[in-house]
Amino acid sequence: MTLPMSDPTAWATAMNNLGMTPLGIAGQPILPDFDPALGMMTGIPPITPMMPGLGIVPPPIPPDMPVVKEIIHCKSCTLFPPNPNLPPPATRERPPGCKTVFVGGLPENGTEQIIVEVFEQCGEIIAIRKSKKNFCHIRFAEEYMVDKALYLSGYRIRLGSSTDKKDTGRLHVDFAQARDDLYEWECKQRMLAREERHRRRMEEERLRPPSPPPVVHYSDHECSIVAEKLKDDSKFSEAVQTLLTWIERGEVNRRSANNFYSMIQSANSHVRRLVNEKAAHEKDMEEAKEKFKQALSGILIQFEQIVAVYHSASKQKAWDHFTKAQRKNISVWCKQAEEIRNIHNDELMGIRREEEMEMSDDEIEETTETKETEESALVSQTEALKEENDSLRWQLDAYRNEVELLKQEQGKAHREDDPNKEQQLKLLQQALQGMQQHLLKVQEEYKRKEAELEKIKDDKLQVEKMLENLKEKESCASRLCASSQDSDYPLEKTLNSSPIKSEREALLVGIISTFLHVHPFGASIEYICSYLHRLDNKICTSDVECLMSRLQHTFKQEMTGVGASLEKRWKFCGFEGLKLT
């Protein structure tokens, strides 16, 4: 076997790894003291990275142990490993997604078939671009195959058994930057990013609460379906939500107004049902409260009996017969029972206290409702006037804008050719003047109503003061009656002689005075009594008329109207009567 020995140390190392005595070209041993028993492959067949089941890249080697490469035999060439004492070949920075390698130092007579024979053991080759200057680019199918190809960097290649310089070379394998590799890597990164976004979106959708179902668009068919659902108690909430969405979207128009009105009427029909359900639930709650209260009172009675047993056992008559431990247990049990009894007793008293407070709140609400109705009527009138004033002001602004637009259009066009525009302008100006006058009248009426409202409030305060004075006088009279029995008859005479006989009549006088003061043109007795019946149904018309006829300086009766429209009206004349009296 005659092989070139350009690097004797590498040749000796390779022969040593094969378990053979290293020999020179002439056959003399390179290492005279070599012992075959000490070879690395003694007793086992030589292992190369090209054996079936093994890649070119050997298993991981500890960093402190030098890497020993093997001779690789191919059909058309042989690869000899580099000197292990030399530093590893330099490589450039690995591009992202690199699948292409640069192979330099090829033999001049090397063909593409030989390159495929050497590097196809590293993996599937997709493309080879060979140059005339002894280098080529090889593109593999996967990225890990590039690492296997880099393992061959530094090997010396020899074609066949020729020693010609054109048949030998020193391989240099390095990373190569290719646009196809970069494009595939970017596509892969984009795909991974899409998968990550999809995974995050699926996770967010899994954690997100379910969205409500979409509301269908309005149509006659859908309207009939919703109208049927509104009549069904089980589907009422879903149908009401659909109706609300349609109204907020602005689906109501002249054509669909009747359909929407019928649906709203159907929704209103459920009010009574809901009120009845609430009343039934309140009744159930009251019954449950009553049952709980009865059960709690029964438990308290049993606790009282148990505590009585403990107290009777603690008396001297029975206490002396118990042992010390039994007495201790009985005293502890008695304390525990008393504590539990006190807790339950406090709970029962708290329930009763809450019921009493609810009863008192109901009484207060009944008294305040009468006062609120009077004030709310006056406030509603002022609010109505304010709304009318605002609407007129907005109409006035709209007319002004229209007049300005007409003026602008008229300035652009010729006045002689457009006589109709002048007439429209005059009409709009007249309408604007009428609106301004109407607005002024409404403002004056609004101011007058505000003044009347203030007067009514002052009169109400005066009437309340009068009622307080009457109450004080009545209390003083009652005290005088209790202090002296001899003065009973004169007091009764004076009380009987006064026109107001009781506190109820005084309250009626105040309410009627306030009512008539709001109506300066007077009101009939039926109108007055209809207002009073809202406050108390037991008020009689004849009693009210008798009371008003007795107070001649406060109320006066006048006849108004002509012929068939003749009627009697009562007016408030308290301020005039105050001057006369």
Side-chain angles (χ1 to χ4, degrees), residues 151-410:
Y151 181 77
L152 299 176
S153 183
Y155 269 82
R156 292 190 306 278
I157 183 170
R158 189 183 66 183
L159 303 179
S161 58
S162 173
T163 58
D164 191 3
K165 189 176 181 181
K166 292 184 179 181
D167 294 334
T168 59
R170 189 182 185 87
L171 297 179
H172 173 69
V173 185
D174 197 356
F175 300 108
Q177 190 169 5
R179 284 179 294 179
D180 294 341
D181 297 344
L182 183 62
Y183 176 73
E184 287 185 4
W185 181 80
E186 289 176 351
C187 292
K188 187 176 180 181
Q189 294 300 316
R190 284 195 293 270
M191 183 184 69
L192 294 174
R194 283 196 300 272
E195 290 178 355
E196 180 66 18
R197 285 197 301 272
H198 178 69
R199 187 187 63 77
R200 289 180 181 176
R201 194 181 301 113
M202 295 297 291
E203 187 69 17
E204 290 174 359
E205 289 179 358
R206 187 177 66 82
L207 298 175
R208 188 186 301 120
S211 58
V215 179
V216 296
H217 292 282
Y218 175 79
S219 63
D220 293 338
H221 177 67
E222 295 294 338
C223 178
S224 61
I225 293 172
V226 172
E228 292 296 328
K229 287 183 179 178
L230 284 170
K231 297 175 183 177
D232 191 359
D233 296 345
S234 60
K235 301 177 181 178
F236 175 71
S237 59
E238 178 186 354
V240 163
Q241 188 63 34
T242 305
L243 177 60
L244 176 63
T245 307
W246 283 349
I247 294 172
E248 288 179 350
R249 283 179 183 173
E251 300 287 349
V252 183
N253 50 36
R254 288 186 177 180
R255 192 176 69 84
S256 62
N258 292 330
N259 295 333
F260 276 97
Y261 178 76
S262 62
M263 288 190 286
I264 293 168
Q265 193 174 10
S266 301
N268 185 50
S269 64
H270 288 268
V271 172
R272 186 179 296 174
R273 176 183 64 82
L274 296 174
V275 171
N276 293 334
E277 286 182 2
K278 182 189 173 187
H281 289 306
E282 287 178 351
K283 186 178 178 182
D284 295 341
M285 186 176 68
E286 293 295 332
E287 290 178 356
K289 281 184 179 179
E290 192 65 29
K291 288 180 182 178
F292 175 70
K293 193 164 65 174
Q294 291 177 0
L296 193 59
S297 60
I299 291 168
L300 282 173
I301 292 169
Q302 294 179 13
F303 269 114
E304 291 289 346
Q305 294 173 353
I306 293 170
V307 171
V309 170
Y310 289 144
H311 284 308
S312 61
S314 300
K315 291 180 180 179
Q316 192 73 22
K317 186 177 180 180
W319 190 254
D320 294 338
H321 299 285
F322 294 117
T323 62
K324 190 174 181 180
Q326 290 173 348
R327 291 175 187 174
K328 186 177 180 182
N329 290 335
I330 291 170
S331 59
V332 170
W333 294 339
C334 183
K335 288 180 181 178
Q336 290 177 354
E338 286 178 350
E339 289 176 359
I340 297 169
R341 180 197 63 183
N342 294 334
I343 291 169
H344 287 290
N345 197 7
D346 293 339
E347 190 174 355
L348 185 61
M349 292 302 294
I351 294 169
R352 290 176 180 172
R353 219 175 288 120
E354 288 178 359
E355 291 178 354
E356 291 174 359
M357 289 174 67
E358 288 177 359
M359 293 292 291
S360 62
D361 291 340
D362 294 338
E363 292 175 358
I364 291 167
E365 287 176 0
E366 289 177 0
T367 55
T368 54
E369 282 178 359
T370 57
K371 294 181 181 179
E372 289 176 356
T373 52
E374 297 175 2
E375 295 178 358
S376 62
L378 298 173
V379 172
S380 62
Q381 290 180 1
T382 55
E383 287 179 354
L385 287 171
K386 284 181 182 177
E387 289 178 359
E388 188 177 357
N389 189 11
D390 293 337
S391 64
L392 290 171
R393 191 182 292 111
W394 294 334
Q395 290 178 9
L396 183 61
D397 293 336
Y399 279 120
R400 282 177 181 168
N401 292 332
E402 289 181 4
V403 170
E404 288 177 359
L405 290 172
L406 287 171
K407 285 181 180 178
Q408 290 176 2
E409 291 177 358
Q410 191 175 8

Side-chain angles (χ1 to χ4, degrees), residues 38 42 88 119 145 154 273 325 342 382 388 410 425 444 451 534 568:
L38 299 177
T42 304
F119 285 95
M145 300 175 182
R273 176 183 64 82
N342 294 334
T382 55
E388 188 177 357
Q410 191 175 8
L425 184 61
E444 289 176 358
R534 296 180 185 177
K568 296 178 181 180

Side-chain angles (χ1 to χ4, degrees), residues 16-28:
N16 182 20
N17 291 339
L18 292 172
M20 300 168 60
T21 305
L23 299 174
I25 297 175
Q28 72 274 15

